[in-house]
Amino acid sequence: MLSNRFSRPNKGRPGRSALTSQSSEDTRQTIYLILSGINSPRSLAVWLLYSHSEHDQLVDLSFNPLDYNELIDARDALISTELLSKMKALSTTVNQRAVAYEKFLESEELCRATNSRLLRRHETFNTVHAVVHTASRYAAETLGMIDFDELLRSGAWGPGTTASLKGSRLAASTKYVHDGTSTRSLLTLHESLRNLGFAPHWTAKYSISNGSRLLFVPKNAKTHRTIAAEPDLNLWYQKAVGLMIRKRLKRRRVDLDDQSRNQDQARRAFLSPLTTIDLRAASDTIATECVREILPRDWFNLLCILRSPSVVLDGKRIILEKFSSMGNGFTFELESLI
């Protein structure tokens, strides 16, 4: 048995009455109880690294299912490895922002290679053309015609950050009166619609922006997550298109507002020799040429007007190979359609 190799954490010294100290002690006790209860080689390794403050080694632990012959052993190792992966109190020397930016660049390189390959599609096999043709026909039948009345009825701002707003000024009511930013192509469309009496009239005025701000938000102990803070006006229209795609997917029995089907499929997979997958960097690898190949031309052109063609980080502008990223108001719906 491995349990006798777990050393129980020392109790706090008498007189240690600070709430933070008590909370830390309670956390250690809880982690000990969980890992000793799992009682596997990996849970022991995790406890030793955690209790001896070897937190850099701890977050570098990886899980490979091929290292295990028994499902139970693999399960225990995975649970142990992931248990502390999002613990903010770990003391590491990892530059989570730098790791996230490196992954952002890797995703951009994947999109660049995909764009290049699709632009040379005459060199690809006929089977690829057949798949793209089937996908584009499905997308066209799902999306149908663009309804600009519906577009303008569907627009909204959420509670999130925009390219020019952050902190405590994120209420939707603020965004209708705050002078914000817009890409040039969208501002031209917006002004044309407003002159024709279609676009909504609010008091905010917009200056030209080249694109979004690249931000980093917490993900886990090893890395942050990159998101884009979109230009204000773009986000309003992006969310409108996202809602339109969401409604059209429902007609295909793909309901993004109801997770019960996914939950049922996951349950069925658990009870049978099936599995579920979570694709890495799925939102960051929607290559522009893939979207061009699949979407009807009018929808692609509209989404091109609404997207940010670049992001800015530390004053540096980066032209995007991906079509859209997390933060764009239609990324999830577009990703789901594709």
Side-chain angles (χ1 to χ4, degrees), residues 147-310:
D147 184 340
F148 279 93
D149 285 334
E150 180 187 3
L151 174 70
L152 297 173
R153 290 195 308 269
S154 303
W157 277 296
T161 298
T162 68
S164 63
L165 279 176
K166 55 184 177 180
S168 60
R169 305 178 62 197
L170 297 178
S173 57
T174 301
K175 295 172 182 175
Y176 281 102
V177 298
H178 171 74
D179 290 347
T181 57
S182 170
T183 54
R184 185 181 301 276
S185 58
L186 174 58
L187 191 57
T188 300
L189 173 64
H190 178 72
E191 293 294 342
S192 297
L193 290 172
R194 192 160 66 173
N195 291 337
L196 293 171
F198 291 111
H201 287 263
W202 52 73
T203 59
K205 296 180 174 58
Y206 299 97
S207 57
I208 300 298
S209 168
N210 288 323
S212 55
R213 287 188 297 121
L214 190 64
L215 303 177
F216 299 87
V217 296
K219 180 180 180 182
N220 55 43
K222 297 176 70 171
T223 182
H224 285 332
R225 186 193 308 275
T226 55
I227 62 170
E230 294 288 317
D232 305 75
L233 187 61
N234 291 66
L235 188 56
W236 190 89
Y237 278 94
Q238 289 166 5
K239 288 181 70 66
V241 166
L243 182 58
M244 291 170 68
I245 297 176
R246 187 174 290 245
K247 288 180 178 178
R248 284 155 177 76
L249 284 172
K250 282 185 179 180
R251 301 170 190 167
R252 292 283 193 172
R253 299 180 63 192
V254 179
D255 189 352
L256 301 182
D257 298 316
D258 179 11
Q259 292 299 308
S260 59
R261 184 180 181 218
N262 289 343
Q263 293 162 355
D264 182 61
Q265 300 253 30
R267 180 187 63 81
R268 291 173 54 199
F270 179 77
L271 297 173
S272 61
L274 298 172
T275 188
T276 62
I277 61 171
D278 183 9
L279 298 177
R280 186 170 71 91
S283 298
D284 278 333
T285 48
I286 307 174
T288 297
E289 293 304 318
C290 176
V291 181
R292 187 194 305 273
E293 289 285 342
I294 292 176
L295 260 60
R297 185 62 52 204
D298 54 347
W299 279 91
F300 176 76
N301 290 338
L302 174 62
L303 267 59
C304 275
I305 292 173
L306 306 187
R307 70 184 283 262
S308 287
S310 63

Side-chain angles (χ1 to χ4, degrees), residues 4-254:
N4 58 4
R5 300 184 63 182
F6 279 86
S7 56
R8 183 176 290 275
N10 295 325
K11 294 290 185 180
R13 296 190 301 273
R16 183 183 291 179
S17 58
L19 288 177
T20 53
S21 298
Q22 184 61 52
S23 175
S24 177
E25 184 63 30
D26 291 344
T27 298
R28 286 173 61 83
Q29 292 286 345
T30 301
I31 292 171
Y32 168 80
L33 290 172
I34 293 173
L35 291 173
S36 61
I38 295 173
N39 195 31
S40 71
R42 176 52 63 91
S43 69
L44 175 61
V46 170
W47 171 247
L48 292 175
L49 292 174
Y50 172 73
S51 61
H52 289 84
S53 297
E54 297 290 346
H55 295 173
D56 279 343
Q57 294 185 57
L58 176 60
V59 299
D60 277 339
L61 286 177
S62 60
F63 168 77
N64 185 350
L66 298 180
D67 292 339
Y68 303 89
N69 294 323
E70 299 294 333
L71 176 62
I72 300 301
D73 294 338
R75 179 203 64 185
D76 291 347
L78 176 60
I79 292 171
S80 302
T81 303
E82 294 295 323
L83 179 65
L84 306 181
S85 64
K86 296 187 179 182
M87 186 176 180
K88 294 181 179 180
L90 294 179
S91 300
T92 70
T93 61
V94 178
N95 187 334
Q96 295 159 305
R97 187 179 188 271
V99 173
Y101 184 57
E102 184 63 29
K103 290 184 177 180
F104 168 84
L105 295 178
E106 289 176 4
S107 296
E108 280 296 285
E109 177 56 27
L110 279 173
C111 288
R112 186 205 62 76
T114 300
N115 290 334
S116 177
R117 186 167 61 252
L118 288 173
L119 287 170
R120 302 194 314 270
R121 58 186 178 274
H122 62 279
E123 301 174 10
T124 60
F125 296 108
N126 290 333
T127 51
V128 175
H129 295 295
V131 170
V132 170
H133 175 73
T134 301
S136 61
R137 186 175 62 186
Y138 179 95
E141 292 172 353
T142 300
L143 294 174
M145 300 293 292
I146 297 175
D147 184 340
F148 279 93
D149 285 334
E150 180 187 3
L151 174 70
L152 297 173
R153 290 195 308 269
S154 303
W157 277 296
T161 298
T162 68
S164 63
L165 279 176
K166 55 184 177 180
S168 60
R169 305 178 62 197
L170 297 178
S173 57
T174 301
K175 295 172 182 175
Y176 281 102
V177 298
H178 171 74
D179 290 347
T181 57
S182 170
T183 54
R184 185 181 301 276
S185 58
L186 174 58
L187 191 57
T188 300
L189 173 64
H190 178 72
E191 293 294 342
S192 297
L193 290 172
R194 192 160 66 173
N195 291 337
L196 293 171
F198 291 111
H201 287 263
W202 52 73
T203 59
K205 296 180 174 58
Y206 299 97
S207 57
I208 300 298
S209 168
N210 288 323
S212 55
R213 287 188 297 121
L214 190 64
L215 303 177
F216 299 87
V217 296
K219 180 180 180 182
N220 55 43
K222 297 176 70 171
T223 182
H224 285 332
R225 186 193 308 275
T226 55
I227 62 170
E230 294 288 317
D232 305 75
L233 187 61
N234 291 66
L235 188 56
W236 190 89
Y237 278 94
Q238 289 166 5
K239 288 181 70 66
V241 166
L243 182 58
M244 291 170 68
I245 297 176
R246 187 174 290 245
K247 288 180 178 178
R248 284 155 177 76
L249 284 172
K250 282 185 179 180
R251 301 170 190 167
R252 292 283 193 172
R253 299 180 63 192
V254 179

